Amino acid sequence: MLFTLLLHSSSAKSPSSSDSPFQVLVTYGSVVKLMHEKTKCRLHSQDVPYGSGSGQQSVTGIPTVDDSNSYWIVRPEKGSSAKQGDTIKSGTIIRLQHLGTRKWLHSHMHASPLSNNLEVSGYGHDSESDKGDNWKLLIEGSGKNWKQNQKIRFQHVETGGYLHSHDKTYSSRIVGGHYEVCGVGEKNVNNIWLGAEGVYLPITETKKRATY
């Protein structure tokens, strides 16, 4: 399939402002990997449930770059009039859908397994999504629209927690060596992310655009 070929052809390099003379805009429908700035891990999920807390699908940070379970589709919040190809401004509420399992990046008041912060999980499916899947995009520094390689934060709307990772890693057989991903209540250097490898859809100018 063409889409599969596009995914395999996307860059596997770590993002750097020196890679290209311009930064690509992130639009709705783009399929991206999100890199944690401090650990360089990619936001990852797979069909492995947590053994505690909600028991929902686990979300971790994976230290390897070329893993197909680290792709996320950028979606608008449920009920939004936003279209595929629209740009995304700082402060916008978005959802992130895991490409492989179709689960939504989710959070709630369950405790995360390693640090006892807010658990971040994969929840629902294409037609099953709730307010726990909503995240506010916050751009660090100047610039109104989300761009690849730009420092960003994701704040969970319901709990107020920031999407976070750190140097705590799992020791289990399936996700051993993966970093914990959780939510925390304060801004700090461990909740900064960047758009890394992926398929970045161009801005769509025509009014006849695909909707979600």
Side-chain angles (χ1 to χ4, degrees), residues 64 74 111 136 160 167:
T64 55
V74 183
K136 182 184 288 187
D167 59 3

Side-chain angles (χ1 to χ4, degrees), residues 14-15 33-37 39-43 192-197:
S14 296
K33 292 186 178 184
L34 295 167
M35 186 187 81
H36 185 247
E37 187 188 40
T39 64
K40 310 305 180 191
C41 71
R42 268 61 175 176
L43 187 68
I192 294 177
W193 300 80
L194 302 92
E197 305 80 17

Side-chain angles (χ1 to χ4, degrees), residues 8-9 14 18 20 26 31 105 112 123 139:
H8 285 304
S9 67
S14 296
S18 62
S20 64
V26 182
V31 182
L105 187 70
S112 63
Y123 167 82
I139 295 171

Side-chain angles (χ1 to χ4, degrees), residues 127-157:
S127 59
E128 183 184 6
S129 177
D130 64 22
K131 292 181 180 179
D133 307 330
N134 291 337
W135 299 82
K136 182 184 288 187
L137 171 75
L138 299 170
I139 295 171
E140 291 291 295
S142 61
K144 294 188 293 186
N145 292 314
W146 184 10
K147 298 181 180 70
Q148 183 187 24
N149 304 342
Q150 187 174 38
K151 293 181 181 181
I152 51 173
R153 285 187 171 90
F154 298 102
Q155 185 177 26
H156 191 246
V157 175

Side-chain angles (χ1 to χ4, degrees), residues 37-191:
E37 187 188 40
K38 195 78 181 291
T39 64
K40 310 305 180 191
C41 71
R42 268 61 175 176
L43 187 68
H44 174 92
S45 192
Q46 56 187 340
D47 190 13
V48 176
Y50 283 121
S52 61
S54 69
Q56 293 176 2
Q57 184 167 296
S58 59
V59 173
T60 61
I62 192 168
T64 55
V65 175
D66 56 345
D67 188 284
S68 61
N69 281 321
S70 301
Y71 284 110
W72 299 83
I73 310 169
V74 183
R75 304 285 199 194
E77 66 175 314
K78 198 173 181 179
S80 169
S81 61
K83 307 292 192 299
Q84 180 170 301
D86 283 352
T87 57
I88 307 167
K89 289 181 169 56
S90 185
T92 301
I93 307 301
I94 68 167
R95 295 178 296 166
L96 293 167
Q97 186 176 28
H98 188 244
L99 179 64
T101 63
R102 314 303 290 182
K103 302 284 189 183
W104 301 96
L105 187 70
H106 185 88
S107 190
H108 35 221
M109 299 306 294
H110 290 283
S112 63
L114 301 184
S115 62
N116 206 38
N117 287 307
L118 298 171
E119 182 190 273
V120 173
S121 64
Y123 167 82
H125 209 266
D126 290 303
S127 59
E128 183 184 6
S129 177
D130 64 22
K131 292 181 180 179
D133 307 330
N134 291 337
W135 299 82
K136 182 184 288 187
L137 171 75
L138 299 170
I139 295 171
E140 291 291 295
S142 61
K144 294 188 293 186
N145 292 314
W146 184 10
K147 298 181 180 70
Q148 183 187 24
N149 304 342
Q150 187 174 38
K151 293 181 181 181
I152 51 173
R153 285 187 171 90
F154 298 102
Q155 185 177 26
H156 191 246
V157 175
E158 283 207 320
T159 65
Y162 294 94
L163 186 67
H164 185 91
S165 191
H166 45 204
D167 59 3
K168 293 182 183 296
T169 58
Y170 292 94
S171 58
S172 69
R173 180 179 61 83
I174 300 175
V175 294
H178 288 208
Y179 295 93
E180 182 187 53
V181 170
C182 57
V184 298
E186 70 283 340
K187 287 184 179 181
N188 61 49
V189 295
N190 280 319
N191 42 62

